[in-house]
Amino acid sequence: MIKPSKRSSQLIASPIRKFWPLAVAAKKQGIEVLKLNIGDPDLSLPQEIQKSLRKINLKNLGYAPSAGLIENVDAWRTYYQTFGLNFERENIIPTTGATEGILFSLLTVADPGEEILVFEPLYTNYKALAGLANVILKPITLKLENNFQLPPEGEIIKKISAKTRAIIIINPDNPTGKVWSVKELKTIIKIAKKYNLYIIADETYREIVFTGRPGSILNLAGARERVILLDSVSKRFSIPGMRIGIIASYNKIVMQTILKLAMARLSAPTIGQLLTISALKNSRRYTRKIAAEYRRRSETVQAGLRKIPGVTYNQPAGAFYQVIKLPVAKADDFIRFMLEDFHYQSQTLLVAPMEDFYLTPGLGQQEIRLAYVLESKKLQQAITILKLGLEQYLGQKPK
Ligand SMILES: Cc1ncc(COP(=O)(O)O)c(C=O)c1O
């Protein structure tokens, strides 16, 4: 038999999507499944994009230049100016979502077998993409119990070896909702400087912060030459289907390398680049509204969780996710139970198990992640279902 490559065989199925068949089966039985497993926003897209969509009238649809449509690159430049960042055109290349930017950045900073530091729990696609790039991710564990604070500097430095090339920061973070403090970011920059590491900064959720002003790690001294910035329109404009992001850096050699990768994949979506121009130039009007909405949703979830005995949870400061540690041995089994054996008023719940968000084996087995992708009333209902489901699960006799 012909076998697929080891590289592809080692890929794990997305933990966010793996219970989907059970949700489909529950639906067939007439049960409404409240889906809080995927960070796929339910909010309406910005008016500017709706308008641009209505105006589309193309006779042909060609590739965009590999370095991006100038109009789109310039729209991103205008966008970044509102955060005090001035980029030249050659500092920014549009990508097919931040996802392509993740792959490009890994391929740019590390050779096969080299290492990159990450903080776990970690947005799972980094694991899959590092696997494709044959790059080794070295985890530094953040803990739910202390709201995922940065551990002492020594613990980070311990993980650095002669093979370490970069450190990845996701800010605000998926799956924790952590917003990195300036002090924490300065520590990262200091370490990166001392050990000559790149910083891959994924700021996909930049504006979704519940207090204070959004910013970028690039606003801090010492970041300029070593930061590779990843960004996306997916979450900030509630349009993950647009598949548009960018990779940006002030480092010339990095951008020359990225351009070669961009040429190899020809072009980021032309339509997406065209449709996002006006929203990028006018971003704050929309992002202020959605940040307030996600904050309200987070408050609803936290208020509900306070009423569930035995759960531990962090306090997100941004993005739209919540990590919850359940009083169960394996969250996977509980999620399965909710889909196969439990419903309340003909509704049940689909959430993401956290185990695969960790790299260290055994961590996160009791944890789940919720995405705030339903309006507050439904979220309130979802937390009630979680509470009742948990009571029944814990009360049932072991099989
Ligand atoms: C931290 C982070 N980076 C990147 C992505 C992927 O973004 P895109 O849709 O732009 O590929 C996600 C999606 O959930 C994410 O949470």
Side-chain angles (χ1 to χ4, degrees):
M1 207 184 64
I2 302 179
K3 280 203 239 156
S5 68
K6 283 198 201 112
R7 191 197 294 111
S8 62
S9 311
Q10 78 192 2
L11 288 173
I12 50 161
S14 164
I16 301 169
R17 294 167 198 268
K18 73 179 175 190
F19 289 102
W20 188 245
L22 297 186
V24 172
K27 193 171 170 219
K28 271 197 191 139
Q29 293 182 3
I31 293 167
E32 184 191 356
V33 180
L34 302 179
K35 295 176 203 75
L36 303 179
N37 58 322
I38 297 188
D40 193 352
D42 60 313
L43 304 171
S44 312
L45 14 150
Q47 300 247 320
E48 290 89 345
I49 296 181
Q50 295 185 28
K51 257 191 231 155
S52 309
L53 270 166
R54 283 194 292 271
K55 275 198 271 179
I56 290 184
N57 180 13
L58 296 174
K59 286 209 182 63
N60 51 39
L61 181 61
Y63 293 116
S66 299
L69 283 177
I70 284 181
E71 299 86 335
N72 185 263
V73 172
D74 283 349
W76 280 100
R77 291 170 67 211
T78 308
Y79 163 82
Y80 283 116
Q81 275 163 10
T82 63
F83 297 96
L85 297 175
N86 290 307
F87 284 116
E88 300 300 326
R89 283 181 181 156
E90 60 269 23
N91 298 129
I92 296 179
I93 294 183
T95 51
T96 306
T99 305
E100 190 178 58
I102 296 171
L103 182 61
F104 283 2
S105 61
L106 297 175
L107 291 170
T108 299
V109 302
D111 278 315
E114 290 188 327
E115 297 169 1
I116 297 185
L117 300 185
V118 293
F119 294 93
E120 65 176 356
L122 171 74
Y123 169 54
T124 52
N125 261 351
Y126 276 92
K127 287 169 52 174
L129 296 168
L132 296 184
N134 291 104
V135 167
I136 298 160
L137 299 181
K138 287 270 168 177
I140 298 151
T141 309
L142 303 183
K143 299 207 171 89
L144 173 68
E145 289 72 19
N146 69 10
N147 216 17
F148 299 111
Q149 277 172 37
L150 193 68
E153 220 175 298
E155 274 192 46
I156 303 169
I157 291 169
K158 245 183 1 206
K159 300 278 170 113
I160 298 175
S161 77
K163 289 190 194 164
T164 312
R165 292 286 165 260
I167 186 161
I168 294 175
I169 301 287
I170 304 171
N171 186 29
D173 185 60
N174 173 11
T176 64
K178 172 185 172 65
V179 175
W180 292 68
S181 69
V182 169
K183 188 165 168 241
E184 288 176 326
L185 292 175
K186 281 186 176 168
T187 303
I188 298 298
I189 293 171
K190 188 173 121 195
I191 294 171
K193 241 175 152 170
K194 186 160 174 201
Y195 293 90
N196 200 22
L197 308 175
Y198 287 107
I199 299 171
I200 297 173
D202 179 337
E203 298 183 355
T204 292
Y205 299 88
R206 179 175 301 109
E207 291 95 329
I208 308 175
V209 290
F210 303 153
T211 51
R213 283 171 63 82
S216 169
I217 192 169
L218 277 169
N219 296 122
L220 302 177
R224 212 176 150 92
E225 278 306 302
R226 61 189 65 248
V227 165
I228 301 175
L229 187 67
L230 309 181
D231 215 331
S232 167
V233 296
S234 292
K235 314 292 167 156
R236 93 165 36 92
F237 297 141
S238 313
I239 46 170
M242 195 67 78
R243 308 311 302 133
I244 291 293
I246 54 108
I247 189 161
S249 179
Y250 287 113
N251 184 312
K252 263 197 178 154
I253 297 171
V254 164
M255 288 316 290
Q256 282 163 5
T257 310
I258 303 284
L259 181 57
K260 284 189 270 180
L261 291 167
M263 286 173 174
R265 63 74 160 115
L266 304 182
S267 156
T270 309
I271 280 265
Q273 290 185 63
L274 287 170
L275 288 174
T276 47
I277 289 169
S278 51
L280 280 166
K281 287 185 178 164
N282 237 325
S283 64
R284 285 303 276 153
R285 203 171 55 199
Y286 182 81
T287 56
R288 252 191 223 113
K289 270 198 295 201
I290 64 159
E293 174 62 20
Y294 286 128
R295 181 188 168 152
R296 274 193 294 276
R297 292 179 179 191
S298 184
E299 285 163 359
T300 302
V301 168
Q302 295 266 322
L305 290 175
R306 280 197 281 277
K307 295 185 199 142
I308 308 183
V311 298
T312 320
Y313 49 94
N314 66 310
Q315 219 170 356
F320 46 80
Y321 304 101
Q322 170 76 60
V323 179
I324 307 168
K325 186 172 177 185
L326 302 173
V328 301
K330 287 209 91 182
D332 262 46
D333 293 342
F334 174 69
I335 297 168
R336 187 177 297 278
F337 162 84
M338 291 299 279
L339 293 168
E340 288 182 336
D341 300 318
F342 182 83
H343 55 91
Y344 172 68
Q345 296 178 342
S346 298
Q347 287 181 323
T348 192
L349 202 59
L350 174 59
V351 296
M354 281 290 292
E355 189 176 358
D356 288 334
F357 286 81
Y358 289 86
L359 287 113
T360 307
L363 291 185
Q365 289 185 6
Q366 297 174 280
E367 296 170 9
I368 56 169
R369 185 198 74 172
L370 304 186
Y372 311 146
V373 290
L374 296 174
E375 36 132 7
S376 282
K377 234 175 144 191
K378 282 224 158 166
L379 274 178
Q380 213 169 5
Q381 174 75 352
I383 301 295
T384 302
I385 291 170
L386 176 67
K387 180 170 186 285
L388 297 173
L390 202 51
E391 278 167 12
Q392 186 163 324
Y393 184 76
L394 294 172
Q396 70 183 1
K397 291 201 181 75
K399 282 180 185 158

